[in-house]
Amino acid sequence: MSSTRRPVDHAERMSRALLSLEGLSVGDGFGERFFAARSLVAEVVEARRAPAPPWPYTDDTEMALALVQVLDEHGRVAQDRLAQLFAKRFRDNPYRGYGGGAIEILERIHLGMDWRPVSSQVFNGTGSKGNGAAMRVAPLGAYFADDLRRAAEEARLSAEVTHFHPDGQAGAMAVAVAAGWAAGARGPARELFDVVLEYTPAGATRRGLERAREWPLDTTPTAAAKELGSGSRVLSEDTVPFVIWCAVRHLEHFEDALWATVSGRGDMDTTCAMVGGIVVLATGQGAIPAPWWTAREALQLRAGR
């Protein structure tokens, strides 16, 4: 699709997507640094002592960068181009913490195989139901903030390239809708649960979101993580419900949101990336502490063809 076919308000949409990318990538780098001192997480979180720079980003941001580039080029999810960029960025820098399933998929795409059979054949033919499609998708939700149904469908298409399992796609749909809602006209933060559930198809992730909606916001993130999961199994169902709970709990406070999220342990770079990509759309970039923003590795916004 040529650039002339992009929405007339493409620049405004991209501004939102890039804001979400900033929050996502800062969250990613922030959360990743806590793996280096896992035994000290509780002490560091209680003291709110930010990790020392630099904060390199992981595959979460790397794949989000590819998705943002596709949106900028096409104004929609062009799946073949997205697969190409995922594979190129992986081969250019494979040491970003990609999971085993992602490596298998991206290696095959890079070798010229069609992403459709590759995505559908992993995990004994079920496809992936991991949290990887959800971790990268918040900027897409920001881009389509004016139409949450479209955000959900485009998120599903973006997920399908690597996550053929419906529940892997459901996680991406939930996070995209949350980001879109945070970027647009919205009511009380608790309404986010109902909005997300409206667009999340049946399955394990949806059931987790229903539990998250009932879990009290005045309990600790540690307790919430024990009930909802915080990505230790690297599955959508084990990650997205806790992420949405943290986003609702601290929708107007970027720092508080990330400190709460990292205190849940688990897959900390990924949970913090998701929460950061959502919450920054409500707070604005000014809510990101300047030292955090400068600590994060500079983003490589575009990959070649």
Side-chain angles (χ1 to χ4, degrees):
M1 179 180 290
S2 70
S3 61
T4 58
R5 298 284 300 278
R6 296 179 302 187
V8 294
D9 59 346
H10 175 73
E12 180 182 344
R13 292 170 180 267
M14 282 303 300
S15 177
R16 294 194 302 263
L18 291 170
L19 172 60
S20 179
L21 179 64
E22 290 292 339
L24 183 157
S25 57
V26 169
D28 178 19
F30 173 82
E32 173 66 15
R33 298 309 298 154
F34 285 90
F35 287 106
R38 189 181 287 269
S39 63
L40 301 176
V41 169
E43 175 188 333
V44 171
V45 169
E46 184 176 356
R48 295 183 70 143
R49 191 165 64 243
W55 297 358
Y57 59 79
T58 76
D59 58 321
D60 303 48
T61 299
E62 195 72 67
M63 300 190 90
L65 284 162
L67 182 52
V68 168
Q69 183 172 339
V70 169
L71 291 172
D72 194 24
E73 292 173 353
H74 297 270
R76 63 179 177 84
V77 174
Q79 290 176 301
D80 291 344
R81 176 61 169 153
L82 184 60
Q84 178 191 45
L85 283 176
F86 281 161
K88 176 169 178 46
R89 282 188 171 273
F90 166 70
R91 291 308 306 160
D92 286 350
N93 194 340
Y95 305 110
R96 291 286 187 190
Y98 290 90
I103 291 172
E104 180 180 351
I105 290 169
L106 297 176
E107 285 278 16
R108 292 183 180 185
I109 295 172
H110 178 72
L111 291 172
M113 296 180 64
D114 190 299
W115 62 265
R116 295 162 184 83
V118 170
S119 178
S120 64
Q121 289 169 5
V122 296
F123 298 103
N124 298 315
T126 67
S128 175
K129 57 180 178 179
N131 59 22
M135 74 187 184
R136 65 197 187 217
V137 81
L140 179 150
Y143 188 90
F144 293 105
D146 63 322
D147 185 347
L148 296 184
R149 189 168 302 281
R150 176 80 184 276
E153 176 56 19
E154 294 284 343
R156 188 194 67 76
L157 292 172
S158 75
E160 191 175 31
V161 173
T162 53
H163 289 68
F164 189 79
H165 194 287
D167 214 55
Q169 298 170 20
M173 295 166 74
V175 171
V177 168
W181 186 85
R186 57 185 184 271
R190 257 204 173 276
E191 289 183 7
L192 180 55
F193 286 121
D194 294 330
V195 173
V196 167
L197 282 165
E198 181 180 352
Y199 295 98
T200 304
T205 296
R206 181 185 175 86
R207 291 193 295 273
L209 287 165
E210 289 169 345
R211 290 198 307 276
R213 179 174 57 182
E214 301 307 315
W215 194 256
L217 294 176
D218 58 359
T219 56
T220 65
T222 303
K226 288 179 180 177
E227 169 66 17
L228 305 173
S230 59
S232 60
R233 294 188 291 145
V234 204
L235 298 175
S236 173
E237 65 183 90
D238 178 48
T239 310
V240 173
F242 175 67
V243 162
I244 301 301
W245 186 87
C246 287
V248 170
R249 193 174 191 257
H250 295 291
L251 191 63
E252 302 294 337
H253 303 280
F254 187 87
E255 284 187 73
D256 290 350
L258 288 190
W259 282 115
T261 305
V262 81
S263 70
R265 310 288 185 94
D267 194 4
M268 293 177 286
D269 60 316
T270 295
T271 55
C272 287
M274 293 186 202
V275 171
I278 295 167
V279 171
V280 75
L281 292 162
T283 65
Q285 186 168 324
I288 302 176
W292 293 19
W293 189 80
T294 56
R296 187 216 58 207
E297 176 186 0
L299 300 180
Q300 300 299 317
L301 286 173
R302 300 190 72 82
R305 303 197 71 84

PDB file of all heavy atoms in Angstrom, residues 3 6 15 18 26 39 68 82 107 143 155 159 169 171 200 207 215 235 247 262 270 273 297 299:
ATOM      1  N   SER A   3       1.934   5.283   0.492  1.00  0.00           N
ATOM      2  CA  SER A   3       1.705   6.181   1.615  1.00  0.00           C
ATOM      3  C   SER A   3       0.444   7.018   1.424  1.00  0.00           C
ATOM      4  O   SER A   3      -0.135   7.493   2.385  1.00  0.00           O
ATOM      5  CB  SER A   3       2.922   7.091   1.796  1.00  0.00           C
ATOM      6  OG  SER A   3       3.130   7.868   0.643  1.00  0.00           O
ATOM      7  N   ARG A   6      -2.650   5.904   3.353  1.00  0.00           N
ATOM      8  CA  ARG A   6      -2.694   5.964   4.809  1.00  0.00           C
ATOM      9  C   ARG A   6      -3.796   6.929   5.250  1.00  0.00           C
ATOM     10  O   ARG A   6      -4.212   7.797   4.481  1.00  0.00           O
ATOM     11  CB  ARG A   6      -1.339   6.410   5.355  1.00  0.00           C
ATOM     12  CG  ARG A   6      -0.212   5.435   5.062  1.00  0.00           C
ATOM     13  CD  ARG A   6       1.115   5.920   5.594  1.00  0.00           C
ATOM     14  NE  ARG A   6       1.502   7.206   5.068  1.00  0.00           N
ATOM     15  CZ  ARG A   6       2.686   7.776   5.274  1.00  0.00           C
ATOM     16  NH1 ARG A   6       3.588   7.166   6.012  1.00  0.00           N
ATOM     17  NH2 ARG A   6       2.969   8.952   4.759  1.00  0.00           N
ATOM     18  N   SER A  15       1.965   9.981  16.123  1.00  0.00           N
ATOM     19  CA  SER A  15       2.401  10.651  17.341  1.00  0.00           C
ATOM     20  C   SER A  15       1.992   9.846  18.572  1.00  0.00           C
ATOM     21  O   SER A  15       2.773   9.680  19.515  1.00  0.00           O
ATOM     22  CB  SER A  15       1.816  12.063  17.392  1.00  0.00           C
ATOM     23  OG  SER A  15       2.174  12.715  18.591  1.00  0.00           O
ATOM     24  N   LEU A  18       4.094   6.564  18.694  1.00  0.00           N
ATOM     25  CA  LEU A  18       5.464   6.807  19.153  1.00  0.00           C
ATOM     26  C   LEU A  18       5.513   7.119  20.641  1.00  0.00           C
ATOM     27  O   LEU A  18       6.476   6.745  21.335  1.00  0.00           O
ATOM     28  CB  LEU A  18       6.093   7.937  18.343  1.00  0.00           C
ATOM     29  CG  LEU A  18       6.385   7.582  16.882  1.00  0.00           C
ATOM     30  CD1 LEU A  18       6.768   8.835  16.098  1.00  0.00           C
ATOM     31  CD2 LEU A  18       7.488   6.531  16.781  1.00  0.00           C
ATOM     32  N   VAL A  26      10.879   2.217  27.627  1.00  0.00           N
ATOM     33  CA  VAL A  26      11.410   2.559  28.950  1.00  0.00           C
ATOM     34  C   VAL A  26      11.012   1.480  29.958  1.00  0.00           C
ATOM     35  O   VAL A  26      11.836   1.035  30.771  1.00  0.00           O
ATOM     36  CB  VAL A  26      10.920   3.949  29.398  1.00  0.00           C
ATOM     37  CG1 VAL A  26      11.254   4.193  30.870  1.00  0.00           C
ATOM     38  CG2 VAL A  26      11.550   5.031  28.535  1.00  0.00           C
ATOM     39  N   SER A  39      17.551 -11.371  43.589  1.00  0.00           N
ATOM     40  CA  SER A  39      17.426 -11.570  45.034  1.00  0.00           C
ATOM     41  C   SER A  39      17.219 -10.258  45.777  1.00  0.00           C
ATOM     42  O   SER A  39      16.782 -10.251  46.934  1.00  0.00           O
ATOM     43  CB  SER A  39      18.677 -12.273  45.580  1.00  0.00           C
ATOM     44  OG  SER A  39      19.827 -11.458  45.384  1.00  0.00           O
ATOM     45  N   VAL A  68       5.673  -0.662  14.627  1.00  0.00           N
ATOM     46  CA  VAL A  68       5.490   0.780  14.427  1.00  0.00           C
ATOM     47  C   VAL A  68       5.937   1.176  13.018  1.00  0.00           C
ATOM     48  O   VAL A  68       5.298   2.002  12.356  1.00  0.00           O
ATOM     49  CB  VAL A  68       6.257   1.574  15.506  1.00  0.00           C
ATOM     50  CG1 VAL A  68       6.340   3.050  15.156  1.00  0.00           C
ATOM     51  CG2 VAL A  68       5.575   1.401  16.863  1.00  0.00           C
ATOM     52  N   LEU A  82       5.358  -7.125   7.953  1.00  0.00           N
ATOM     53  CA  LEU A  82       5.640  -7.265   9.379  1.00  0.00           C
ATOM     54  C   LEU A  82       6.515  -8.489   9.630  1.00  0.00           C
ATOM     55  O   LEU A  82       7.500  -8.423  10.372  1.00  0.00           O
ATOM     56  CB  LEU A  82       4.330  -7.374  10.170  1.00  0.00           C
ATOM     57  CG  LEU A  82       4.466  -7.430  11.690  1.00  0.00           C
ATOM     58  CD1 LEU A  82       5.144  -6.178  12.228  1.00  0.00           C
ATOM     59  CD2 LEU A  82       3.095  -7.615  12.334  1.00  0.00           C
ATOM     60  N   GLU A 107      13.808 -17.486  12.496  1.00  0.00           N
ATOM     61  CA  GLU A 107      14.857 -18.095  11.677  1.00  0.00           C
ATOM     62  C   GLU A 107      14.266 -18.614  10.368  1.00  0.00           C
ATOM     63  O   GLU A 107      14.826 -18.418   9.289  1.00  0.00           O
ATOM     64  CB  GLU A 107      15.523 -19.242  12.437  1.00  0.00           C
ATOM     65  CG  GLU A 107      16.475 -18.814  13.527  1.00  0.00           C
ATOM     66  CD  GLU A 107      17.855 -18.465  12.980  1.00  0.00           C
ATOM     67  OE1 GLU A 107      18.001 -18.270  11.762  1.00  0.00           O
ATOM     68  OE2 GLU A 107      18.789 -18.365  13.800  1.00  0.00           O
ATOM     69  N   TYR A 143      -2.392   3.835  17.809  1.00  0.00           N
ATOM     70  CA  TYR A 143      -2.617   4.266  16.426  1.00  0.00           C
ATOM     71  C   TYR A 143      -4.102   4.201  16.072  1.00  0.00           C
ATOM     72  O   TYR A 143      -4.633   5.076  15.387  1.00  0.00           O
ATOM     73  CB  TYR A 143      -1.796   3.392  15.482  1.00  0.00           C
ATOM     74  CG  TYR A 143      -1.802   3.857  14.035  1.00  0.00           C
ATOM     75  CD1 TYR A 143      -0.837   4.742  13.583  1.00  0.00           C
ATOM     76  CD2 TYR A 143      -2.766   3.414  13.138  1.00  0.00           C
ATOM     77  CE1 TYR A 143      -0.828   5.182  12.254  1.00  0.00           C
ATOM     78  CE2 TYR A 143      -2.775   3.851  11.822  1.00  0.00           C
ATOM     79  CZ  TYR A 143      -1.803   4.731  11.385  1.00  0.00           C
ATOM     80  OH  TYR A 143      -1.812   5.160  10.069  1.00  0.00           O
ATOM     81  N   ALA A 155      -4.764  -5.810  15.892  1.00  0.00           N
ATOM     82  CA  ALA A 155      -3.910  -6.506  16.859  1.00  0.00           C
ATOM     83  C   ALA A 155      -3.915  -8.001  16.597  1.00  0.00           C
ATOM     84  O   ALA A 155      -2.871  -8.669  16.678  1.00  0.00           O
ATOM     85  CB  ALA A 155      -4.383  -6.211  18.284  1.00  0.00           C
ATOM     86  N   ALA A 159      -0.665 -10.259  15.653  1.00  0.00           N
ATOM     87  CA  ALA A 159      -0.293 -11.419  16.456  1.00  0.00           C
ATOM     88  C   ALA A 159      -0.152 -12.675  15.608  1.00  0.00           C
ATOM     89  O   ALA A 159       0.741 -13.504  15.832  1.00  0.00           O
ATOM     90  CB  ALA A 159      -1.341 -11.647  17.548  1.00  0.00           C
ATOM     91  N   GLN A 169      -3.341 -14.544  20.399  1.00  0.00           N
ATOM     92  CA  GLN A 169      -3.946 -13.400  19.724  1.00  0.00           C
ATOM     93  C   GLN A 169      -4.844 -12.609  20.668  1.00  0.00           C
ATOM     94  O   GLN A 169      -4.887 -11.373  20.618  1.00  0.00           O
ATOM     95  CB  GLN A 169      -4.733 -13.886  18.512  1.00  0.00           C
ATOM     96  CG  GLN A 169      -3.864 -14.567  17.469  1.00  0.00           C
ATOM     97  CD  GLN A 169      -4.653 -15.257  16.376  1.00  0.00           C
ATOM     98  OE1 GLN A 169      -5.832 -14.941  16.157  1.00  0.00           O
ATOM     99  NE2 GLN A 169      -4.031 -16.211  15.696  1.00  0.00           N
ATOM    100  N   GLY A 171      -4.480 -12.065  23.831  1.00  0.00           N
ATOM    101  CA  GLY A 171      -3.680 -11.186  24.674  1.00  0.00           C
ATOM    102  C   GLY A 171      -3.308  -9.905  23.965  1.00  0.00           C
ATOM    103  O   GLY A 171      -3.349  -8.813  24.547  1.00  0.00           O
ATOM    104  N   THR A 200     -12.192  -8.923  23.997  1.00  0.00           N
ATOM    105  CA  THR A 200     -11.318 -10.084  24.182  1.00  0.00           C
ATOM    106  C   THR A 200     -12.124 -11.358  23.998  1.00  0.00           C
ATOM    107  O   THR A 200     -13.082 -11.596  24.730  1.00  0.00           O
ATOM    108  CB  THR A 200     -10.682 -10.074  25.581  1.00  0.00           C
ATOM    109  OG1 THR A 200      -9.992  -8.844  25.789  1.00  0.00           O
ATOM    110  CG2 THR A 200      -9.697 -11.231  25.727  1.00  0.00           C
ATOM    111  N   ARG A 207     -10.625 -15.356  30.729  1.00  0.00           N
ATOM    112  CA  ARG A 207     -10.977 -15.792  32.094  1.00  0.00           C
ATOM    113  C   ARG A 207     -10.068 -15.133  33.124  1.00  0.00           C
ATOM    114  O   ARG A 207     -10.515 -14.742  34.211  1.00  0.00           O
ATOM    115  CB  ARG A 207     -10.895 -17.320  32.194  1.00  0.00           C
ATOM    116  CG  ARG A 207     -11.977 -18.041  31.396  1.00  0.00           C
ATOM    117  CD  ARG A 207     -12.063 -19.504  31.758  1.00  0.00           C
ATOM    118  NE  ARG A 207     -10.856 -20.253  31.387  1.00  0.00           N
ATOM    119  CZ  ARG A 207     -10.646 -20.807  30.193  1.00  0.00           C
ATOM    120  NH1 ARG A 207     -11.552 -20.680  29.238  1.00  0.00           N
ATOM    121  NH2 ARG A 207      -9.545 -21.486  29.953  1.00  0.00           N
ATOM    122  N   TRP A 215     -10.429  -8.641  41.324  1.00  0.00           N
ATOM    123  CA  TRP A 215      -9.373  -8.566  42.335  1.00  0.00           C
ATOM    124  C   TRP A 215      -9.264  -7.136  42.853  1.00  0.00           C
ATOM    125  O   TRP A 215      -9.139  -6.198  42.086  1.00  0.00           O
ATOM    126  CB  TRP A 215      -8.043  -9.022  41.750  1.00  0.00           C
ATOM    127  CG  TRP A 215      -7.018  -9.292  42.805  1.00  0.00           C
ATOM    128  CD1 TRP A 215      -5.967  -8.504  43.145  1.00  0.00           C
ATOM    129  CD2 TRP A 215      -6.976 -10.422  43.682  1.00  0.00           C
ATOM    130  NE1 TRP A 215      -5.260  -9.060  44.176  1.00  0.00           N
ATOM    131  CE2 TRP A 215      -5.858 -10.240  44.529  1.00  0.00           C
ATOM    132  CE3 TRP A 215      -7.768 -11.552  43.849  1.00  0.00           C
ATOM    133  CZ2 TRP A 215      -5.511 -11.158  45.513  1.00  0.00           C
ATOM    134  CZ3 TRP A 215      -7.421 -12.465  44.827  1.00  0.00           C
ATOM    135  CH2 TRP A 215      -6.316 -12.271  45.650  1.00  0.00           C
ATOM    136  N   LEU A 235       3.089 -17.001  29.168  1.00  0.00           N
ATOM    137  CA  LEU A 235       1.865 -17.197  28.407  1.00  0.00           C
ATOM    138  C   LEU A 235       1.002 -15.943  28.472  1.00  0.00           C
ATOM    139  O   LEU A 235       1.064 -15.185  29.441  1.00  0.00           O
ATOM    140  CB  LEU A 235       1.063 -18.379  28.968  1.00  0.00           C
ATOM    141  CG  LEU A 235       1.724 -19.746  28.924  1.00  0.00           C
ATOM    142  CD1 LEU A 235       0.836 -20.771  29.624  1.00  0.00           C
ATOM    143  CD2 LEU A 235       2.015 -20.174  27.489  1.00  0.00           C
ATOM    144  N   ALA A 247      -2.230  -1.547  35.216  1.00  0.00           N
ATOM    145  CA  ALA A 247      -2.543  -0.332  34.464  1.00  0.00           C
ATOM    146  C   ALA A 247      -3.752   0.383  35.056  1.00  0.00           C
ATOM    147  O   ALA A 247      -3.758   1.613  35.187  1.00  0.00           O
ATOM    148  CB  ALA A 247      -2.787  -0.674  32.998  1.00  0.00           C
ATOM    149  N   VAL A 262       6.823  -4.212  38.516  1.00  0.00           N
ATOM    150  CA  VAL A 262       8.054  -4.970  38.737  1.00  0.00           C
ATOM    151  C   VAL A 262       8.018  -5.699  40.075  1.00  0.00           C
ATOM    152  O   VAL A 262       8.667  -6.744  40.244  1.00  0.00           O
ATOM    153  CB  VAL A 262       9.288  -4.042  38.620  1.00  0.00           C
ATOM    154  CG1 VAL A 262       9.538  -3.258  39.896  1.00  0.00           C
ATOM    155  CG2 VAL A 262      10.527  -4.835  38.220  1.00  0.00           C
ATOM    156  N   THR A 270       8.788  -7.787  30.197  1.00  0.00           N
ATOM    157  CA  THR A 270       7.584  -7.845  29.370  1.00  0.00           C
ATOM    158  C   THR A 270       6.384  -7.211  30.058  1.00  0.00           C
ATOM    159  O   THR A 270       5.633  -6.442  29.444  1.00  0.00           O
ATOM    160  CB  THR A 270       7.289  -9.301  28.990  1.00  0.00           C
ATOM    161  OG1 THR A 270       8.357  -9.769  28.154  1.00  0.00           O
ATOM    162  CG2 THR A 270       5.975  -9.431  28.247  1.00  0.00           C
ATOM    163  N   ALA A 273       6.964  -3.525  30.010  1.00  0.00           N
ATOM    164  CA  ALA A 273       6.797  -2.977  28.661  1.00  0.00           C
ATOM    165  C   ALA A 273       5.321  -2.771  28.353  1.00  0.00           C
ATOM    166  O   ALA A 273       4.920  -1.716  27.829  1.00  0.00           O
ATOM    167  CB  ALA A 273       7.434  -3.912  27.632  1.00  0.00           C
ATOM    168  N   GLU A 297      18.419   2.633  26.304  1.00  0.00           N
ATOM    169  CA  GLU A 297      19.174   2.605  25.048  1.00  0.00           C
ATOM    170  C   GLU A 297      18.427   3.361  23.946  1.00  0.00           C
ATOM    171  O   GLU A 297      17.198   3.269  23.843  1.00  0.00           O
ATOM    172  CB  GLU A 297      19.353   1.141  24.638  1.00  0.00           C
ATOM    173  CG  GLU A 297      20.035   0.917  23.315  1.00  0.00           C
ATOM    174  CD  GLU A 297      20.043  -0.548  22.914  1.00  0.00           C
ATOM    175  OE1 GLU A 297      19.502  -1.380  23.683  1.00  0.00           O
ATOM    176  OE2 GLU A 297      20.578  -0.852  21.837  1.00  0.00           O
ATOM    177  N   LEU A 299      16.684   4.246  20.597  1.00  0.00           N
ATOM    178  CA  LEU A 299      15.904   3.373  19.725  1.00  0.00           C
ATOM    179  C   LEU A 299      16.380   3.463  18.279  1.00  0.00           C
ATOM    180  O   LEU A 299      16.629   4.551  17.767  1.00  0.00           O
ATOM    181  CB  LEU A 299      14.420   3.751  19.788  1.00  0.00           C
ATOM    182  CG  LEU A 299      13.748   3.670  21.154  1.00  0.00           C
ATOM    183  CD1 LEU A 299      12.275   4.069  21.040  1.00  0.00           C
ATOM    184  CD2 LEU A 299      13.882   2.280  21.755  1.00  0.00           C
TER     185      LEU A 299
END
